[in-house]
Amino acid sequence: MEIRRYKHDAAYSYTLGMALTIELIAQKDSYHIRKIYVHPDYVPKHDKYNIFEICNEAQLPVEINKKVFGRLSMKENVYVIGIFDKHDMNVEPGRPHVVLVNPSDSGNLGTILRTGLGFGFKDYVIIKPGVDIYNPKTIRSSMGAFFHVRFTYYDSFEQYRQKFSNHQMYLFMLDGKINLKDMKERQQKNPFSLVFGNEGSGLPGFFRDYGDSIYIEHNNEIDSLNLSVAFGIAANSFSE
């Protein structure tokens, strides 16, 4: 099967770069790896990061193929690509969830995965329509965090809420009722879900009816915080 540039309906995705591919290989028990491609100009920096030795030890197929890089990578400094199959990694019911309602930016999503993992959040829910978490741009911006998290897509927030009715919903909104600073004085209910809206429009007003609406206080010189920044602040506040 010829490997082509990523599309949403593809059965596979891929890592672009040595560090991400090594992270993928480290998770080979969770992800089925089809093949590792190496650019003809690849030169190992030292034995620890010799992709040929790493693949040999992991018993993975490796192929030198310049054409694949021309199709998949827009970056001149990419010399290693890892192709792997998509598969479901459903969120765990008893763990805190990060719920993203209609996210639209791959880079933001990748940054959220990386930041969230740093604060112990491993379970992510994406409400459709939403950006494809398997997009190589998301994987790259996550800096490898993608391979350490679980995620599930739902057709609607209501569908998710019914599935996890025991979760306390903390909804982050520009016009929320509770200042995030005051949450430290409240007893957090477990399990819980941190819910964020789209980068441009945020959460609709009726979401206040679903739980505690929270706002992150900032001065009036800006309209709002970037989604990934707002999430980082919230993740720090709610981390265990």
Side-chain angles (χ1 to χ4, degrees):
M1 176 182 176
E2 185 179 24
I3 300 298
R4 296 184 178 277
R5 184 166 294 179
Y6 182 79
K7 291 186 178 181
H8 176 70
D9 59 355
Y12 59 86
S13 185
Y14 45 84
T15 55
L16 296 172
M18 181 72 175
L20 282 178
T21 304
I22 290 177
E23 193 68 46
L24 167 63
I25 293 172
Q27 303 301 320
K28 68 183 181 68
D29 292 337
S30 299
Y31 286 87
H32 175 255
I33 302 172
R34 295 189 182 188
K35 186 176 289 187
I36 306 300
Y37 289 98
V38 181
H39 194 281
D41 294 337
Y42 167 77
V43 178
K45 292 184 178 180
H46 44 74
D47 292 341
K48 183 179 179 181
Y49 292 104
N50 187 323
I51 193 62
F52 296 108
E53 293 186 4
I54 292 172
C55 289
N56 182 58
E57 183 176 344
Q59 297 182 325
L60 292 172
V62 58
E63 178 182 323
I64 298 175
N65 188 322
K66 187 175 183 178
K67 290 183 179 180
V68 167
F69 288 81
R71 288 197 298 267
L72 304 187
S73 177
M74 300 296 290
K75 304 271 186 184
E76 293 183 359
N77 61 341
V78 172
Y79 297 101
V80 178
I81 293 176
I83 311 294
F84 64 95
D85 287 335
K86 296 179 180 179
H87 71 291
D88 293 332
M89 292 284 286
N90 292 330
V91 296
E92 293 188 359
R95 298 293 302 166
H97 295 170
V98 176
V99 182
L100 304 173
V101 180
N102 313 136
S104 60
D105 186 275
S106 297
N108 266 343
L109 178 56
T111 301
I112 287 170
L113 298 181
R114 182 186 183 191
T115 303
L117 185 62
F119 289 110
F121 292 91
K122 292 189 174 184
D123 294 88
Y124 296 81
V125 170
I126 299 175
I127 307 300
K128 298 177 181 177
V131 68
D132 183 359
I133 198 169
Y134 274 105
N135 190 308
K137 293 180 181 178
T138 300
I139 297 171
R140 188 161 191 169
S141 61
S142 80
M143 301 294 287
F146 170 88
F147 297 109
H148 298 271
V149 302
R150 297 172 288 269
F151 44 86
T152 307
Y153 279 82
Y154 282 88
D155 291 327
S156 68
F157 182 75
E158 187 61 35
Q159 183 188 42
Y160 165 75
R161 196 166 71 96
Q162 290 177 1
K163 175 76 173 179
F164 296 97
S165 58
N166 63 322
H167 273 231
Q168 174 64 25
M169 301 292 167
Y170 294 111
L171 306 131
F172 286 80
M173 310 176 70
L174 290 176
D175 54 354
K177 296 180 179 179
I178 304 170
N179 191 327
L180 179 61
K181 293 179 181 179
D182 297 331
M183 287 301 299
K184 294 180 180 179
E185 301 174 6
R186 294 170 172 249
Q187 185 175 2
Q188 296 178 11
K189 300 176 183 179
N190 287 299
F192 63 84
S193 300
L194 305 182
V195 185
F196 297 83
N198 176 271
E199 292 89 339
S201 57
L203 292 174
F206 64 82
F207 268 71
R208 291 191 205 89
D209 297 333
Y210 294 144
D212 291 330
S213 61
I214 301 172
Y215 69 92
I216 300 174
E217 186 177 18
H218 57 75
N219 64 42
N220 59 9
E221 294 185 45
I222 60 171
D223 293 328
S224 63
L225 296 169
N226 174 276
L227 174 59
S228 59
V229 172
F231 168 70
I233 295 170
N236 178 48
S237 180
F238 278 84
S239 61
E240 298 178 347

